[in-house]
Amino acid sequence: MSGEVEKLQQIIDQSNNIVFFGGAGVSTESGIPDFRSVDGLYNQKYDYPPETILSHTFFMRNPEAFYKFYQDKMLCDTAKPNAAHLKLAELEKAGKLKAVITQNIDNLHQQAGSRKVLELHGSVHRNYCMRCGKFYGFEHMKNAAGVPKCSCGGTIKPDVVLYEEGLDNDVISESIRCISNADVLIIGGTSLAVYPAAGLIDYFNGQHLVVINMAPGPRDKYADLLITDPIGKVFSQIKVNGK
């Protein structure tokens, strides 16, 4: 165990009010592509830039192209929770972790067993008809041909926050409450480039700010502890209640 991980272990051991704020880097070790790395979606070639495809305007005007990209790149049914997801769930079960706040839409935290998960950008596992509001799950969207349609004839829209759309006010309020009350905030696997989500970190007034990220970020200089190893590797070394 490295000195940085030993220090993280000490911080975790001494706190029962930890909040985790995570981004795409938490899921890349599960095989889900991120957006901004060298091999990320933003650096791959499509007919339109991904940030254009994943916008509300594009979805409404060109749903066929949206769903071609969405089904191909956003609906990963082979990913499994990695060591970071599993350890965070373990920390919550032990009463140490109070919330996971995630920018990811893949449901892997829930699959790992986490119960208090605040999804800032929604989830690919929730989809609703734009006409009647009927719910549809992941499998329906993954297997749909063309633009997914409801039994009523309406178009089904993923419950994910597209560009040009606002975040859910209830999720934002609860995220602010959790971060404001936390003793320890662990930021992991995020470049903190996406606002307003990244701005939530400003509400932290606790004792220890921990940043675990492979690439440099804007909050590194404020961190009490900075770890630049893969997040799954780091959390796999952490013991919960001595085990």
Side-chain angles (χ1 to χ4, degrees), residues 185-217:
L185 177 62
I186 302 175
I187 301 171
T190 173
S191 61
L192 297 175
V194 178
Y195 282 81
L200 296 175
I201 296 165
D202 294 332
Y203 290 93
F204 179 64
N205 294 301
Q207 292 181 311
H208 297 290
L209 177 63
V210 178
V211 175
I212 307 171
N213 204 40
M214 294 290 288

Side-chain angles (χ1 to χ4, degrees), residues 56 59 67 127-128 130 155-160 162 165:
H56 179 83
F59 171 80
Y67 273 111
N127 308 273
Y128 299 96
M130 297 175 70
T155 297
I156 304 169
K157 183 181 183 296
D159 187 18
V160 298
L162 303 177
E165 295 179 345

Side-chain angles (χ1 to χ4, degrees), residues 1-9 225-229 233-234 237:
M1 185 182 291
S2 69
E4 289 87 358
V5 177
E6 285 184 4
K7 186 173 180 182
L8 176 60
Q9 182 72 67
L225 175 61
L226 175 62
I227 303 177
T228 56
D229 287 328
K233 176 184 176 182
V234 172
Q237 301 174 70

Side-chain angles (χ1 to χ4, degrees), residues 111-242:
Q111 290 181 36
S114 290
R115 300 174 67 87
K116 177 79 169 186
V117 182
L118 297 166
E119 296 171 312
L120 296 173
H121 297 148
S123 172
V124 297
H125 288 258
R126 296 190 302 270
N127 308 273
Y128 299 96
C129 173
M130 297 175 70
R131 180 184 295 173
C132 73
K134 183 177 179 180
F135 171 87
Y136 287 88
F138 180 93
E139 291 301 324
H140 182 89
M141 304 299 281
K142 182 72 174 177
N143 297 321
V147 178
K149 295 292 185 179
C150 176
S151 55
C152 79
T155 297
I156 304 169
K157 183 181 183 296
D159 187 18
V160 298
V161 179
L162 303 177
Y163 289 100
E164 305 166 349
E165 295 179 345
L167 305 188
D168 183 277
N169 286 332
D170 292 338
V171 174
I172 288 291
S173 296
E174 182 61 10
S175 298
I176 290 172
R177 187 193 69 80
C178 291
I179 291 173
S180 299
N181 293 332
D183 293 332
V184 175
L185 177 62
I186 302 175
I187 301 171
T190 173
S191 61
L192 297 175
V194 178
Y195 282 81
L200 296 175
I201 296 165
D202 294 332
Y203 290 93
F204 179 64
N205 294 301
Q207 292 181 311
H208 297 290
L209 177 63
V210 178
V211 175
I212 307 171
N213 204 40
M214 294 290 288
R219 303 299 172 118
D220 292 0
K221 60 186 176 182
Y222 303 111
D224 300 293
L225 175 61
L226 175 62
I227 303 177
T228 56
D229 287 328
I231 193 165
K233 176 184 176 182
V234 172
F235 273 108
S236 67
Q237 301 174 70
I238 295 298
K239 299 184 183 302
V240 180
N241 292 337

Side-chain angles (χ1 to χ4, degrees), residues 14-26:
Q14 294 167 6
S15 177
N16 289 313
N17 191 353
I18 303 168
V19 168
F20 179 81
F21 183 99
V26 180

Side-chain angles (χ1 to χ4, degrees), residues 3-88:
E4 289 87 358
V5 177
E6 285 184 4
K7 186 173 180 182
L8 176 60
Q9 182 72 67
Q10 292 172 1
I11 290 172
I12 290 173
D13 288 345
Q14 294 167 6
S15 177
N16 289 313
N17 191 353
I18 303 168
V19 168
F20 179 81
F21 183 99
V26 180
S27 294
T28 52
E29 291 175 58
S30 294
I32 293 179
D34 67 354
F35 281 76
R36 291 177 172 79
S37 70
V38 173
D39 298 319
L41 294 179
Y42 284 174
N43 292 305
Q44 298 178 22
K45 301 301 181 184
Y46 298 97
D47 292 341
Y48 304 92
E51 59 265 42
T52 298
I53 298 173
L54 296 173
S55 68
H56 179 83
T57 298
F58 191 91
F59 171 80
M60 297 301 292
R61 292 178 178 174
N62 200 345
E64 295 85 0
F66 172 89
Y67 273 111
K68 187 176 185 301
F69 176 88
Y70 182 77
Q71 289 179 313
D72 184 35
K73 294 297 181 182
M74 309 299 287
L75 298 182
C76 179
D77 55 3
T78 59
K80 303 295 182 186
N82 61 52
H85 298 106
L86 295 170
K87 192 65 66 173
L88 289 166

